[in-house]
Structures are given as C-alpha cells and as structure tokens.
Amino acid sequence: MGMKTKIALGAVVGIAVIGALSANAGDSDGDAGSDDRTSASAGEKPGNAKAGDDAGKDGASDAKPAEDKAEEKASQAERFKAFVQKNGTPKEKDAVSHVTKVQGADEQNDILDSADVYTDFTGGIMGEGTGPAKLIASAFADWKDSENGLVTIYDADGELLGNGQF
C-alpha cells in the first residue's frame, strides 16, 4: 500500500471510531431522558394514589396556588393601581385612577429598563395630563426600582405627557 492510501484508511477508521463513540454517548443520554419522562408522567397521572393523597391532605396548599395565579392574572396596571391605593398620596391616587395600561414593568435587567404607562388624558403635552403625569411617574418610581429605568407616560391618543426615572 502506498502512503496516501494508509493516511486515507487511517482517517476513515478514525472517523468511524469517533462516530461510534458519539452515537453510544447519545444513546445513554437518551435512555436517561426517557426514564425521567416516564417517572415524571407517572407522578402526574390522575389515577396515581400518591398524587390523590397529597391533594386531599392539604387543602390550604391548593388555595395558595390559586391566589398566586390570581396575582399573575392581574394586569400590570391593576397591580400598579393597587400599590398606589395602598401607599400613595391623595393626589397620586387621583392621578393614577386615569391609568389604563402599563407595559414593560415586569421585564427589568437594571441595564436599560423602560416602562410605558398609558392614561385616558387628552391633549398631549399641552393638555390637562401633564401635571398628573409627573405624579404618575413619581408613584411608578415608588412601585418599581431600577438602576437605570425610564417610565414614559402617554395620553389616550398615544402622545407623550411626561417621563421620569425609576
């Protein structure tokens, strides 16, 4: 055999060995994954006595997830309004009563956080909502805290009313 043939044959054998090793490594991971899925699905079946016993023993634990789900279902605007009703000044409470929608309050990374608050005020920056927009921004800063956050307040037509840091 020539030198080129030996090199080519060695390369083919090397590739075959690497392929066999990687195929076997993938099979062992696949088996473990299928075992995990089987045991997880067995615990979730409604006919499983263990799952039924746990649900029947502790009725309070069933109520807590329902409360958590109710909090998760509340919109950002509703949570913001509830915070201000509990902690805000009378003027802040009046201003926040005009809030219709809040976006971006949940996604924070402390690098460049941005939230938008929409209200039912009209007239843009020259309208009636400019003063209350400052109160809304201040209340928002009390509600959420960020290293580098900016809250922008908009009127009913989507025009800018004001902004503030939070």
Side-chain angles (χ1 to χ4, degrees):
M1 268 202 261
M3 185 63 139
K4 290 182 182 178
T5 308
K6 287 182 182 181
I7 293 174
L9 184 59
V12 169
V13 170
I15 292 173
V17 169
I18 291 172
L21 289 174
S22 66
N24 286 337
D27 286 343
S28 67
D29 289 341
D31 290 342
S34 65
D35 288 343
D36 290 342
R37 281 179 269 144
T38 304
S39 64
S41 63
E44 294 174 357
K45 290 181 182 176
N48 188 348
K50 222 177 213 185
D53 291 343
D54 290 344
K57 284 182 186 176
D58 192 10
S61 66
D62 291 339
K64 283 187 179 181
E67 290 173 3
D68 292 341
K69 289 179 183 177
E71 288 178 10
E72 290 175 8
K73 288 182 181 180
S75 71
Q76 293 177 33
E78 290 169 349
R79 287 182 279 163
F80 176 48
K81 286 180 176 182
F83 173 82
V84 173
Q85 285 300 319
K86 183 178 178 183
N87 302 311
T89 65
K91 288 185 178 186
E92 286 176 338
K93 291 176 184 178
D94 183 46
V96 170
S97 68
H98 294 276
V99 170
T100 58
K101 184 177 182 180
V102 176
Q103 287 182 320
D106 288 340
E107 302 93 24
Q108 291 187 349
N109 58 13
D110 286 338
I111 296 172
L112 182 58
D113 296 327
S114 175
D116 298 325
V117 177
Y118 297 91
T119 66
D120 60 2
F121 292 115
T122 57
I125 202 155
M126 300 302 286
E128 64 182 294
T130 306
K134 294 290 185 187
L135 290 170
I136 293 170
S138 174
F140 191 90
D142 290 341
W143 181 49
K144 293 290 183 175
D145 190 30
S146 172
E147 295 290 321
N148 191 20
L150 178 69
V151 60
T152 307
I153 316 301
Y154 297 98
D155 72 356
D157 297 325
E159 293 183 40
L160 179 72
L161 288 178
N163 57 24
Q165 294 180 339
F166 69 95

